Amino acid sequence: MPSLNTGSDRISRRRLLFATALAALPSQARTPLQHRQPRVITLEYHATEMVLALGVTPVGVADTGGYSRWVGVEKARLATAINVGNRQQPSLEAIAMLRPDLIVAVDFRHASLKALLERIAPTLMLSSSEREGLAAVFEDHRQLALTLGLETRAGLALTVLDDCLARERNRLAAAGWAGKPLAILQHIAGVPQMWAFAGNSVPGGVQKALGLGGPWLHERARQGITVKTVEELLVLDVTLALLGGAPPQTPVWKQAPAVRHERLLVLPDGLWPFGGPVSTVRLVRALSTALLRRGHADRP
């Protein structure tokens, strides 16, 4: 029998239960923030990475296991962090119990929870609108650092990223890769489809910053991703860089020009292409290394 509960009923009940739980929490005196490390809860992977890069260990993290698996940057420091649920539906009760000074969320997951989160603590809601992905890495890190009063630390991480981009751009230009077309893809396991990184993605921004061309750099997409079928790659005569492990072993894939002409670069596992200054440095280095290992861009 179908449930008669509407979505609004469920939301109202959740609000009521949360408000009751919040009211029941004992009040505690707080040590002034300038005399201790801020208590931060992060609800998205790149937010977790940014907080760690600023030298702060979050007290709560959404999906600690997923972060360790997919991102991995300084994951050992999360040993003391409390898992507060998954990224899409974090536990408001668990968040409230940790008494954070700041919650870092993202609008595409948490906009509907903003009012509830702000009842617990000030909430920094990072924007996911179709911004330039690489620029957003810099902007988000500076914004978070400013919120926490750690601007100097942000400058250190972003200087490393800036220097890495400049150095690898020069190395690639010397090897003839300036302006050469490259398509960055990530295999979707179990289906003959790929995520293709558009111009407003982090990988797309990295391509442009490194002086590379690409078939999708003029495109903009939600969160920087479009889906391409393997068949669409049959007319794409460019070098391919593949994230996320082994390519699909299908007859159609093997007919793609990049595969037939040995212009396929399989990047190492463990690269996170959705933001965070340390992850982006890793992506830049891995991409540049793979291109330079192939040799001069005009090599047959």
Side-chain angles (χ1 to χ4, degrees):
M1 179 179 178
S3 171
L4 298 179
N5 295 331
T6 66
S8 60
D9 290 336
R10 287 192 294 271
I11 293 171
S12 296
R13 271 202 306 278
R14 189 179 185 191
R15 289 176 185 270
L16 178 60
L17 290 170
F18 171 68
T20 302
L22 191 63
L25 289 175
S27 60
Q28 296 178 0
R30 289 287 191 89
T31 303
L33 192 56
Q34 63 267 30
H35 299 311
R36 61 179 172 84
Q37 187 175 84
R39 298 177 60 81
V40 182
I41 291 177
T42 55
L43 304 182
E44 184 55 54
Y45 291 159
H46 73 292
T48 301
E49 179 186 323
M50 289 192 296
V51 169
L52 289 168
L54 290 170
V56 175
T57 301
V59 295
V61 172
D63 192 6
T64 52
Y67 178 86
S68 296
R69 178 184 179 187
W70 298 111
V71 185
V73 173
E74 296 195 70
K75 63 183 180 181
R77 287 176 52 202
L78 297 182
T80 59
I82 301 299
N83 188 74
V84 295
N86 64 48
R87 291 177 296 159
Q88 193 64 39
Q89 294 183 316
S91 167
L92 298 173
E93 293 78 10
I95 293 170
M97 288 295 293
L98 289 172
R99 295 188 166 275
D101 299 304
L102 179 70
I103 301 167
V104 188
V106 290
D107 59 1
F108 76 95
R109 293 192 197 277
H110 308 120
S112 65
L113 298 176
K114 184 178 181 182
L116 292 174
L117 292 171
E118 288 184 333
R119 288 192 61 184
I120 302 171
T123 299
L124 175 60
M125 190 71 66
L126 300 174
S127 172
S128 63
S129 59
E130 295 175 18
R131 297 186 294 166
E132 289 294 325
L134 182 59
V137 172
F138 286 84
E139 292 164 7
D140 287 348
H141 201 59
R142 290 191 183 105
Q143 184 181 13
L144 177 58
L146 181 64
T147 303
L148 292 171
L150 298 172
E151 297 94 320
T152 302
R153 293 185 191 177
L156 295 173
L158 296 180
T159 296
V160 170
L161 177 53
D162 254 335
D163 290 347
C164 181
L165 286 165
R167 181 175 60 255
E168 299 307 323
R169 180 187 179 102
N170 290 336
R171 295 177 69 205
L172 289 169
W177 283 100
K180 297 295 183 182
L182 173 74
I184 302 180
L185 300 158
Q186 185 162 1
H187 181 212
I188 304 173
V191 295
Q193 294 178 328
M194 303 275 185
W195 278 347
F197 291 94
N200 64 316
S201 67
V202 174
V206 165
Q207 282 179 256
K208 290 182 279 190
L210 292 178
L212 301 167
W216 307 309
L217 294 186
H218 64 286
E219 296 181 11
R220 300 181 66 81
R222 186 174 182 271
Q223 297 182 51
I225 296 172
T226 61
V227 176
K228 305 290 183 184
T229 64
V230 172
E231 286 78 8
E232 289 178 88
L233 304 181
L234 295 178
V235 296
L236 200 63
D237 194 12
V238 302
T239 299
L240 299 182
L242 187 65
L243 288 164
Q249 297 302 317
T250 64
V252 175
W253 169 258
K254 293 175 182 178
Q255 292 304 309
V259 179
R260 287 191 290 110
H261 300 148
E262 298 183 347
R263 285 187 278 110
L264 172 66
L265 311 173
V266 179
L267 300 182
D269 287 341
L271 297 175
W272 180 248
F274 299 106
V278 181
S279 287
T280 305
V281 167
R282 290 179 175 180
L283 177 63
V284 172
R285 288 174 176 164
L287 182 59
S288 179
T289 297
L291 290 168
L292 293 171
R293 186 175 291 142
R294 187 179 184 278
H296 197 280
D298 295 325
R299 191 195 79 179

